[in-house]
């Protein structure tokens, strides 16, 4: 099992430079912890500082070296030529393999702000993905080509947990990314569904990944000291069982359980705001990664 990180992109702060600096620090700490991959997310029309994926990842790659990296694109909100150009440039900057995560997205206000029709998002997603893939492979689409193209074939992970989204990931994706809101029981059931749909479509995925929101303490009591107040406030509306909290050993046990379900990659995001706690948790992920390396 591999252990990667998806950096939080939104911060409630007065100084926008501070949040950007925190992301750079977190990327550097994740590299030093030996994490296997680095990702950033995608959201639009946010009233607090939210650092957009393409420019931010371009900066973070300077901290990252040659391990895999990538960004999420909510494809119905984007023009596919622009996505292909962004991906081609980022993949050319990256010293390692580039992974494009993608999903249909949600939120009526976000779709309205971007002039996108939420009712057609499934069809729009598939149309856009086809164009991005063809352009990224160097093909012409309606007379249009892009350059640079990714130096390696573009790897695509499709996110989602609804039945049509899981089937779409099995049918069209190189890999699947399950969401952070899933409890362990839900994660196991969806992994089995995804495996069944891959078999039905004759596909062998390159990755079966899941996002987990985490905090790693020096021990269980330290982890609970930091995380419990956040969970008690109803963190993101999640079932607390979907979050992974504890000492390095306890966190490793929970992640190893995901490997038995068929997950090959865990992509973590830290649940706390305090930069010092995030960096300490990130440092402890080095031990977690060592403990799960053979899972």
């Amino acid at each position: 099992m591999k252990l990667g990180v998806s950096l939080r992109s939104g911060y409630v702060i007065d100084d926008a430079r501070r949040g950007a600096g925190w992301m750079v620090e977190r990327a550097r700490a994740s590299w030093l912890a030996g994490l296997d991959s680095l990702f950033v997310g995608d959201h639009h029309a946010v009233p607090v500082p939210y650092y957009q994926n393409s420019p931010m990842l371009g900066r973070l790659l300077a901290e990252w070296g040659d391990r895999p990296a990538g960004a999420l694109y909510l494809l119905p909100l984007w023009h596919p030529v622009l996505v292909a150009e962004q991906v081609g440039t980022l993949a050319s900057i990256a010293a390692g393999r580039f992974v494009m995560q993608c999903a249909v997205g949600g939120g009526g206000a976000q779709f309205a702000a971007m002039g996108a029709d939420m009712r057609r998002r499934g069809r729009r997603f598939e149309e856009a993905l086809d164009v991005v893939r063809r352009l990224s492979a160097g093909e012409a689409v309606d007379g249009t080509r892009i350059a640079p193209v990714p130096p390696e074939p573009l790897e695509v992970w499709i996110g989602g947990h609804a039945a049509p989204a899981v089937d779409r990931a099995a049918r069209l994706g190189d890999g699947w990314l399950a969401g952070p809101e899933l409890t362990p029981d839900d994660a196991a059931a969806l992994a089995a569904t995804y495996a069944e749909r891959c078999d039905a479509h004759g596909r062998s995925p390159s990755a079966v990944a899941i996002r987990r929101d985490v905090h790693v303490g020096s021990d269980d009591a330290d982890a609970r000291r930091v995380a419990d107040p956040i969970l008690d406030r109803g963190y993101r509306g999640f079932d607390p069982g979907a979050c992974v909290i504890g000492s390095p050993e306890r966190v490793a046990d929970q992640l190893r359980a995901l490997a038995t379900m068929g997950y090959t990659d865990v992509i973590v995001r830290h649940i706390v705001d305090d930069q010092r706690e995030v960096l300490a948790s990130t440092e402890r992920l080095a031990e977690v990664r060592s403990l799960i390396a053979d899972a």
Side-chain angles (χ1 to χ4, degrees), residues 189-269:
L190 278 183
T193 298
Y194 176 67
E196 183 274 324
R197 297 317 301 157
C198 284
D199 287 343
H201 293 295
R203 305 291 303 281
S204 297
S206 62
V208 184
I210 185 168
R211 251 275 311 281
R212 294 282 85 174
D213 287 12
V214 309
H215 182 70
V216 188
S218 58
D219 54 32
D220 288 341
D222 178 55
R224 287 295 170 187
R225 171 188 63 82
V226 175
D228 278 355
I230 299 169
L231 299 180
D232 290 345
R233 292 195 295 270
Y235 174 74
R236 300 188 66 191
F238 287 4
D239 184 314
C243 298
V244 177
I245 309 298
S247 66
E249 295 80 7
R250 184 176 296 275
V251 169
D253 285 344
Q254 294 176 76
L255 300 189
R256 277 193 292 257
L258 295 168
T260 68
M261 301 174 193
Y263 290 99
T264 63
D265 293 70
V266 177
I267 310 300
V268 302
R269 181 173 296 176

Side-chain angles (χ1 to χ4, degrees), residues 24 35 39-40 44 53 65 69 84 86 98 104 140 146 151 158 164 178 200 211 229 257 269 272 279 292:
V24 172
L35 300 190
F39 296 96
V40 293
H44 300 274
N53 51 10
Q86 301 298 299
F98 186 88
V104 297
I146 66 157
I158 297 178
R211 251 275 311 281
R269 181 173 296 176
V272 304
L279 295 178
I292 68 170

Side-chain angles (χ1 to χ4, degrees), residues 146-163:
I146 66 157
V149 298
E152 300 171 314
L154 180 62
E155 183 169 347
V156 176
W157 295 1
I158 297 178
H161 62 271

Side-chain angles (χ1 to χ4, degrees), residues 14 29 31 52 79 85 105 112 127-129 144 154-155 160 178 180 186 202 213 230 236 248 262 280 286 290:
D14 294 328
W31 171 264
Q52 291 298 305
H79 193 291
E85 290 179 334
E127 293 170 348
L129 178 58
T144 297
L154 180 62
E155 183 169 347
D186 291 338
D213 287 12
I230 299 169
R236 300 188 66 191
S290 178

